[in-house]
Amino acid sequence: MNRLTLTLSGVLLATSALIAPGLAFAQTAPMTSPTAQTPAEQVEEQATEVGEIVVLGRYIPEPNRESSEVAAFLTSEDLERTGDSNAAAALTRVTGLSIVEGRFIYVRGLGERYSSALLNGSPLPSPEPLQRVVPLDLFPSSILDGVTVQKTYSPNFPGEFGGGVIDLHTVDAPNEPFFNMKLSLAGNTESTGKEGLIYYGSRTDFTGFDDDTREVPGAIAIAFDQGKQINGANFTADQLQTMGQSLVNAPLRLLQREKTPIDGGVELSGGFSQDTGFGALGLIAVAGYDNSWRARSGVQEEGQFQGEVLVPVSTYGVESNQNDVRLNFLGGLSLSNADHEVKWTNLYVRNTTKEARSVAGPDFDAGGSVIRNDYTEWFVRQLWSSQLAGEHQFMDGALEIDWRAAYAKTSRDAPYESRFQYGVNADGDYIHNVQGNLISFSELDDDIVSGGVDVAYTLPLSSAREAVISAGVATLDNNREASRHDLQFEAVNGLTDSQRLSRIDYLFSDYNINPTTLQLREIAGSNGASAYDAELQVNAAYAMVDAEIIPLVRTTVGVRFEDGQQSVTPRDVFGGTSTYEATEIEEQYWLPSLTATWNFAEDQQLRFGVSQTIGRPQFRELAPQAYTDPESDRIFIGNPYLVDTELLNLDARYEWYFARQQFITAGVFYKDMDKPVESVIVDVGNQRQQSYLNAPKATIMGAEVEVKKYFEFPDQPMSFIANKRWLVQANYTYSDSEVKVGDGDTVLTLGGAGTPEDASFFIQDGSRLQGQSDHVANLQLGWEDDTARSQATIIVNYVSDRITARGAGTGSSREPDFIQEPGVFLDFVYRKDFTVMARDMGFALELRNLLGTEFDEYQELGNKIRVNNYDLGQSASVSLTARF
């Protein structure tokens, strides 16, 4: 047996470890009398007497001591220091993580499809049409006690693991009763106090709930339910007139300008614990309301080849104003004693987006003439999750049984998603192009029923070492229903000049909706292009051993078996037979993993990991349904010929924890991917769409380094410096990816109808993996002053450019890829606690994007084509918290 022999100073350290259970175990030889020994002999014997001490990895005073894997942990202290409002923003501070669209987290340059998001260990559905992964901006940081990001795979987690797994931990019942109330105000330089586009909507929009103004009118709803297409073949002219006039007009169509108000929010939280005869009964509750505005003014361009360079052929000025209202409630009950704990956790989140947008400029498809599209939109995303979980210990803690059962449902409702189009007459006035009007109603419901049981038995190997043998089963059933109905008013006999020049609500007034002027009809929707049903069923079992068979070397080895069945079935909303057949992917996988941790010193260790994992296509990526993304104004359409991605993951990391909450880590990683999913731009007629395909192969390799260090200067004459603990925390990730296309490699595309096509026509060999940034870096500089009860932090986040989509075209005529350059963000957060009339209060000031970094997505070949460019502005917020 290898042992670490300590000197006298080491004896004191070991003694401290023995006092703290779970930090270290020791073996000691019988003590002998020091009589008649010289001091040198006594010291020598002391070193020998403690030669049996074995320092285990669990001694390391960080959350890593409980983790057998390469992982990162966000604590409640971290969340408070950075002041980030939601989980997505907070996770950008973690090594190797970056945020996309303000909602989705990329881990080590791999898109959100390659990571799993869990809430207290249970999977979550998504309300997003384009993603099956839940957007993490739905989770306010106030409900979180911490976040675990595990980057090496262990079989107790789902097999869909490429970049990592993100497990959100909600707050628990407190030991002491409390009640807090927080009020906040915020503003943005692009929005607050400036004239912005709005539309009225309904009188209760500020609550995040509509007053039924946007309800689908009765006659139209009946037609939708019956699967009868709204047109002259199925309804009389009088019925079509009644349907057209039933649609709400001015409140949902007329764009106006109004000064944008200041943002505001309120948050209430409280909880208590009470001893009972069965154990401690705990209650926790958190509720919040937030109302914010974001205006955008930017440019969107489309480019085409002229010779060997790209030139902009369509340039649009974009102006939008978005009002987001978020409501959230977390409620939890727990009952616990020394050996058992049962928790019931419920979470409800509602995020409503109300947007008015106008896009105008010369359009290539219109022969270079100026066109304008005005949009009014209302998107409601909801998440409700209920989980019942238990942790039980038997046999003095040697046997532990954990279980969980959860039901979670998300929905996305987008009623009256409207577009109205204008052209320009000879006098330069905007006139109605009635063929470009569209009113859409879409719904998406996604739910997951899941459960799992984990059993762990601790087997002592000696007085200093042990083996934890665990096994478990898990199941999930994910179901999604999505449908969309598109309505349009057609000009039966054309429009007069006065009608073309009239205001939008005048044109679509009841007076003009009749069999001879404007008549309602339903367009598209057939052949499964407007609705689909999807399901994913996964049944899994795993076995794992976490043991220190060799002293100082902790090894975790195991395997997970997953039986997955995924299907996407296009549905004709009019009751006909879809042109597209159902897509079914049925696969079974054995997913092994091994992680070894060598605790070669009291505060240092090396980790090595290897595993096999998978990535499944997302529902929307398999559905041949066109969808316009309001973020980019691009049309997305799925590819039913996608298959699963298989990954080989390798990791190595060095960790040095030189003091409490202070450490240095450095690691390398490598991933080999078979059939990774890539997004490509395709030309469909005169329209550009974004679709998906499986690239043949890809690799990604990289290195990570992180340091966290506190400094104190008690001897400094300046009290400002001497009274504070100064923080330096930084991390950096370098990654390099390569998509590999060899001779004879083929891909299956929607346009090719499943016929193999040469992969080199669509993807360039050696190009970067989509979504991967070469460089991701974070820096936090700050101080904490316990005397003044204050804290200040400067936060810097940098992400280098990444590919968002492959360029249109094939072979030598393929355009450059779409590139996004996130850039550098500089934030400042200041917090101070104080007492007023014996009441504890808290003040916070947050300044965001101080450098004024803009959103920039482009193509470049000879010229820079601004695909999507707009200013984000600088933001400031202040909050006041009262603690009772």
Side-chain angles (χ1 to χ4, degrees):
M1 177 182 291
N2 295 325
R3 293 180 175 86
L4 181 64
T5 301
L6 303 179
T7 62
L8 184 59
S9 62
V11 175
L12 299 177
L13 183 61
T15 304
S16 300
L18 288 170
I19 295 174
L23 296 182
F25 294 95
Q27 298 176 4
T28 57
M31 298 292 289
T32 59
S33 171
T35 305
Q37 290 181 322
T38 66
E41 289 173 333
Q42 293 180 30
V43 171
E44 181 180 358
E45 183 176 344
Q46 285 174 324
T48 303
E49 289 168 353
V50 297
E52 297 281 347
I53 290 180
V54 178
V55 180
L56 302 182
R58 63 173 63 85
Y59 168 74
I60 293 172
E62 286 294 321
N64 295 63
R65 74 182 186 273
E66 299 176 2
S67 171
S68 60
E69 307 294 334
V70 173
F73 299 86
L74 275 180
T75 65
S76 56
E77 180 185 73
D78 297 325
L79 295 171
E80 183 177 6
R81 178 187 298 115
T82 59
D84 296 305
S85 61
N86 59 67
L91 283 166
T92 61
R93 319 303 179 189
V94 175
T95 308
L97 272 62
S98 58
I99 191 171
V100 178
E101 296 180 9
R103 294 176 289 174
F104 301 104
I105 291 296
Y106 281 27
V107 182
R108 290 175 166 177
L110 293 174
E112 79 285 345
R113 69 167 60 86
Y114 296 113
S115 299
S116 302
L118 308 174
L119 184 67
N120 297 323
S122 293
L124 292 166
S126 173
E128 294 297 318
L130 295 177
Q131 284 87 8
R132 196 176 71 239
V133 179
V134 65
L136 295 180
D137 66 323
L138 281 178
F139 302 93
S141 56
S142 60
I143 71 165
L144 299 176
D145 184 55
V147 183
T148 299
V149 181
Q150 186 170 306
K151 298 180 182 179
T152 54
Y153 178 66
S154 57
N156 56 316
F157 280 118
E160 286 192 75
F161 185 107
V165 62
I166 299 169
D167 195 2
L168 308 173
H169 308 290
T170 56
V171 292
D172 285 333
N175 293 324
E176 299 292 334
F178 79 97
F179 177 74
N180 294 337
M181 180 173 67
K182 177 181 176 181
L183 301 175
S184 61
L185 296 174
N188 178 273
T189 56
E190 290 294 306
S191 311
T192 310
K194 295 188 175 182
E195 293 281 337
L197 290 175
I198 65 160
Y199 71 96
Y200 177 75
S202 79
R203 55 188 174 84
T204 59
D205 284 358
F206 72 95
T207 67
F209 290 87
D210 178 81
D211 65 357
D212 294 338
T213 295
R214 296 178 178 87
E215 282 290 315
V216 183
I220 296 177
I222 292 172
F224 290 169
D225 292 340
Q226 293 178 345
K228 295 177 65 176
Q229 186 171 6
I230 298 174
N231 57 27
N234 294 319
F235 297 94
T236 66
D238 289 342
Q239 289 175 318
L240 294 176
Q241 179 176 333
T242 300
M243 290 180 181
Q245 292 177 351
S246 69
L247 291 168
V248 177
N249 185 18
L252 302 182
R253 294 172 180 165
L254 181 63
L255 290 185
Q256 304 175 69
R257 289 191 179 276
E258 190 173 282
K259 189 168 290 187
T260 303
I262 197 168
D263 302 343
V266 61
E267 181 183 296
L268 304 174
S269 59
F272 69 89
S273 291
Q274 178 68 48
D275 288 332
T276 69
F278 301 98
L281 176 65
L283 171 68
I284 184 72
V286 180
Y289 166 85
D290 183 76
N291 192 323
S292 62
W293 296 79
R294 287 297 176 268
R296 294 177 181 174
S297 180
V299 175
Q300 292 178 355
E301 292 183 329
E302 291 184 4
Q304 288 190 358
F305 276 114
Q306 285 191 7
E308 296 183 354
V309 300
L310 276 181
V311 297
V313 294
S314 298
T315 301
Y316 312 102
V318 180
E319 182 182 2
S320 75
N321 199 11
Q322 178 175 307
N323 180 207
D324 289 298
V325 178
R326 185 179 67 194
L327 298 164
N328 62 269
F329 174 77
L330 172 77
L333 283 172
S334 63
L335 182 63
S336 61
N337 57 30
D339 297 321
H340 305 278
E341 182 176 31
V342 176
K343 294 181 182 179
W344 183 30
T345 305
N346 296 276
L347 174 65
Y348 172 75
V349 180
R350 179 185 175 95
N351 196 327
T352 302
T353 297
K354 177 183 180 181
E355 183 175 9
R357 186 166 84 257
S358 184
V359 180
D363 182 83
F364 177 77
D365 295 330
S369 300
V370 173
I371 64 169
R372 189 181 95 197
N373 287 309
D374 289 348
Y375 301 85
T376 60
E377 295 161 329
W378 171 267
F379 305 110
V380 180
R381 296 182 297 160
Q382 292 189 117
L383 165 67
W384 181 69
S385 171
S386 183
Q387 183 199 59
L388 190 63
E391 298 178 4
H392 309 278
Q393 293 185 357
F394 305 92
M395 302 170 58
D396 294 327
L399 177 64
E400 183 173 343
I401 300 176
D402 299 341
W403 56 272
R404 63 201 173 275
Y407 174 76
K409 180 175 182 177
T410 60
S411 64
R412 180 185 184 273
D413 188 18
Y416 279 96
E417 192 178 347
S418 302
R419 181 192 72 192
F420 298 97
Q421 191 174 89
Y422 301 83
V424 175
N425 64 13
D427 297 328
D429 298 320
Y430 281 112
I431 58 174
H432 289 287
N433 176 14
V434 74
Q435 289 81 10
N437 79 85
L438 193 67
I439 302 171
S440 302
F441 296 85
S442 62
E443 292 182 343
L444 184 153
D445 292 299
D446 198 341
D447 64 62
I448 288 182
V449 178
S450 64
V453 178
D454 303 296
V455 180
Y457 178 72
T458 301
L459 177 68
L461 301 179
S462 73
S463 60
R465 296 178 290 112
E466 62 188 24
V468 179
I469 304 169
S470 58
V473 295
T475 183
L476 74 84
D477 188 358
N478 183 192
N479 290 274
R480 171 177 286 200
E481 295 180 359
S483 64
R484 180 183 179 92
H485 293 269
D486 294 323
L487 304 176
Q488 185 181 75
F489 284 99
E490 62 175 332
V492 181
N493 297 309
L495 297 179
T496 65
D497 289 342
S498 62
Q499 288 172 332
R500 284 181 172 273
L501 286 167
S502 63
R503 213 169 72 175
I504 185 73
D505 53 333
Y506 294 166
L507 176 62
F508 291 98
S509 64
D510 289 352
Y511 175 80
N512 288 326
I513 298 175
N514 57 62
T516 61
T517 309
L518 295 174
Q519 191 170 65
L520 189 68
R521 63 173 180 172
E522 186 172 3
I523 60 175
S526 59
N527 299 325
S530 287
Y532 68 91
D533 299 326
E535 183 177 15
L536 172 64
Q537 290 183 330
V538 179
N539 295 309
Y542 77 90
M544 183 169 65
V545 178
D546 180 2
E548 191 182 2
I549 299 175
I550 302 174
L552 307 178
V553 178
R554 181 182 181 184
T555 304
T556 305
V557 60
V559 64
R560 184 182 184 91
F561 172 75
E562 281 199 357
D563 180 7
Q565 299 180 15
Q566 183 173 4
S567 66
V568 175
T569 306
R571 176 165 44 88
D572 192 326
V573 295
F574 305 135
T577 302
S578 171
T579 301
Y580 299 101
E581 296 182 357
T583 299
E584 295 186 359
I585 302 176
E586 296 186 18
E587 297 285 356
Q588 295 180 335
Y589 296 98
W590 291 93
L591 304 173
S593 75
L594 168 66
T595 303
T597 302
W598 178 27
N599 185 196
F600 63 90
E602 296 167 345
D603 53 5
Q604 299 177 63
Q605 61 188 22
L606 288 173
R607 295 187 189 271
F608 303 92
V610 57
S611 63
Q612 289 184 331
T613 56
I614 60 170
R616 295 184 175 93
Q618 303 186 77
F619 290 145
R620 190 62 191 81
E621 294 171 346
L622 290 166
Q625 181 193 60
Y627 166 75
T628 301
D629 178 25
E631 285 287 328
S632 61
D633 281 329
R634 287 204 290 271
I635 298 174
F636 289 76
I637 190 166
N639 176 7
Y641 307 107
L642 297 179
V643 297
D644 292 349
T645 303
E646 299 185 36
L647 300 95
L648 171 66
N649 312 286
L650 302 174
D651 278 89
R653 188 162 86 161
Y654 163 76
E655 301 171 355
W656 178 24
Y657 298 87
F658 48 83
R660 183 177 180 272
Q661 296 182 336
Q662 302 177 65
F663 54 83
I664 293 176
T665 66
V668 294
F669 60 89
Y670 173 84
K671 296 179 183 294
D672 186 273
M673 309 175 69
D674 183 52
K675 304 293 185 184
V677 175
E678 291 277 274
S679 179
V680 296
I681 302 295
V682 294
D683 290 320
V684 181
N686 62 351
Q687 186 181 76
R688 289 200 159 180
Q689 298 181 351
Q690 193 161 329
S691 191
Y692 308 90
L693 54 77
N694 286 108
K697 288 185 178 296
T699 60
I700 182 169
M701 62 183 67
E704 298 176 335
V705 61
E706 182 175 14
V707 59
K708 183 178 181 181
K709 171 67 177 173
Y710 287 103
F711 297 90
E712 296 185 64
F713 307 97
D715 298 328
Q716 273 286 334
M718 295 179 59
S719 60
F720 179 81
I721 296 177
N723 294 339
K724 294 175 174 57
R725 185 169 72 151
W726 299 82
L727 167 70
V728 176
Q729 184 171 358
N731 60 64
Y732 168 72
T733 301
Y734 169 77
S735 57
D736 180 53
S737 64
E738 183 179 2
V739 179
K740 298 180 179 181
V741 180
D743 294 338
D745 283 337
T746 60
V747 296
L748 303 178
T749 68
L750 178 66
T755 301
E757 300 174 83
D758 190 341
S760 64
F761 284 173
F762 300 90
I763 302 172
Q764 181 179 353
D765 181 47
S767 59
R768 278 193 298 167
L769 195 66
Q770 181 192 337
Q772 179 259 327
S773 296
D774 289 347
H775 309 281
V776 177
N778 289 282
L779 174 65
Q780 294 183 37
L781 302 173
W783 50 257
E784 300 171 356
D785 189 331
D786 291 338
T787 303
R789 302 168 65 188
S790 61
Q791 181 187 77
T793 312
I794 296 172
I795 306 167
V796 183
N797 173 254
Y798 169 69
V799 180
S800 64
D801 60 41
R802 57 190 171 213
I803 296 172
T804 56
R806 301 294 178 189
T810 59
S812 59
S813 62
R814 183 173 54 244
E815 295 178 1
D817 296 333
F818 285 23
I819 304 293
Q820 184 202 349
E821 194 161 349
V824 180
F825 285 83
L826 174 63
D827 301 336
F828 174 75
V829 178
Y830 174 76
R831 298 182 179 280
K832 181 174 177 59
D833 290 343
F834 56 96
T835 302
V836 176
M837 300 177 64
R839 181 72 61 202
D840 284 339
M841 308 287 287
F843 170 81
L845 169 67
E846 301 175 15
L847 305 177
R848 305 289 182 184
N849 194 22
L850 293 174
L851 299 179
T853 301
E854 63 183 17
F855 183 92
D856 189 17
E857 185 182 18
Y858 61 89
Q859 287 179 289
E860 193 165 21
L861 184 62
N863 297 295
K864 182 176 181 179
I865 308 300
R866 296 169 295 176
V867 174
N868 195 13
N869 179 278
Y870 56 86
D871 291 328
L872 296 170
Q874 293 98 349
S875 299
S877 68
V878 294
S879 64
L880 186 65
T881 302
R883 303 181 178 98
F884 299 90

